[in-house]
Amino acid sequence: MTGRIIGTGSYVPEQVVTNEDLAKIVDTTDEWIVTRTGIHERRIAVHEGTSEMAAKAARRALEDAGMEAGELDIILLATSSPDNCFPNGACEVQAAIGAKNAVAFDISAACSGFEFALSTVQAFLQAGIYKTALIIGVDCLSKLTDWNDRSTCVLFGDGAGAAVLRAEETGVIHSVMGSDGTKGPVLSCSARTGGNFLNGKRPELGFIYMDGQEVFKFAVKKVPECIQQVLKESGTDIDEVKYFVLHQANYRICESVAKRLKQPLDKVPMNIGSYGNTSGATVPILLDELNRQGKLERGDKIVMAGFGGGLTWGAALVEW
Ligand code: COA
């Protein structure tokens, strides 16, 4: 037994923010952003939070799967921008969609979160502990962004993507995850640190900090490595893979990964131009687009791969 993806869904907020819009608030240009990142515009949540976006994507995934929320055994929600410290976002989605029979909890692995959630539920499904699962990658980084910092604020967007899995004979073939906590400081966002009654300080909120070049170097090395690992360990030839559904952080990273894997760029679909980096949501949003465009057929092999804060990385080989 393994986990097979039987439905996908996604949601992005309505509000479009273009590069020109950002050029009005920080010293940047459309040309700089497009040539360095491939991003033309992003969606920003104005009135909704992380859990609401997640619930919308979840409902769409359940509808696509033809499944009722009450049939779900487990909900894993991957985010690094939850609405609350607790209750967790997965429990809020559980309540919103009425998944009364599921256990629900969050996973925090930044932009690798969806791959971590997939690997984790796959273990439960493979072990026969649960039969059905909902996984969600969702982030609302606009609330963690310093809108005065041009080096980060142009990169991110808000959104959610979800997938429903069921225990079947085929599906997730193999997955790998990795982390290196020693590199944590290159991409970080502290939250509510340093305050209590003894030191008399109020907790302070942090913003996203990123050493862009270090993250870039890490990504172009680690993503091909973990893809090669997942293929090697499953005895799969790279040419059997139809699509590499990669974390959408920068089109130049996607190009570089394709080059290092010696794969044509048309096997690396991208939507970063429209949404920017939605963190844990990029891979499931892109997966949902491919699914709804009819580009995935039963038996196709695809690889999903993510990388991000932690530092973390992960890849999964999936038979559709
Ligand atoms: N508009 C205009 N200029 C900008 C800018 C912006 N939005 N942001 C930075 N710059 C400037 C810098 O200040 C710097 O100027 P200087 O040379 O006068 O000091 C110059 O552009 C080059 O900056 P640099 O950081 O070297 O650019 P880069 O080519 O490395 O591109 C990133 C920056 C962030 C696009 C790139 O490093 C990247 O994509 N890194 C990976 C990020 C990532 O994947 N993050 C998500 C991880 S999940």
Side-chain angles (χ1 to χ4, degrees), residues 128-142:
I129 296 169
Y130 298 123
K131 291 196 167 49
T132 54
L134 168 67
I135 56 173
I136 305 163
V138 56
D139 268 301
C140 191
L141 292 189
S142 62

Side-chain angles (χ1 to χ4, degrees), residues 8 60 63 113 150 183 270 308 314 319:
T8 63
R60 290 176 182 171
E63 195 184 346
R150 69 175 182 175
K183 304 253 171 59
M270 288 185 233
E319 184 174 323

Side-chain angles (χ1 to χ4, degrees), residues 28 32 36 111 150-151 210 212-213 215 247 249-250 253 277:
T28 192
W32 191 96
R36 302 283 173 128
C111 303
R150 69 175 182 175
S151 70
M210 184 175 70
Q213 291 190 1
V215 176
H247 172 45
N250 186 321
I253 294 177
N277 178 350

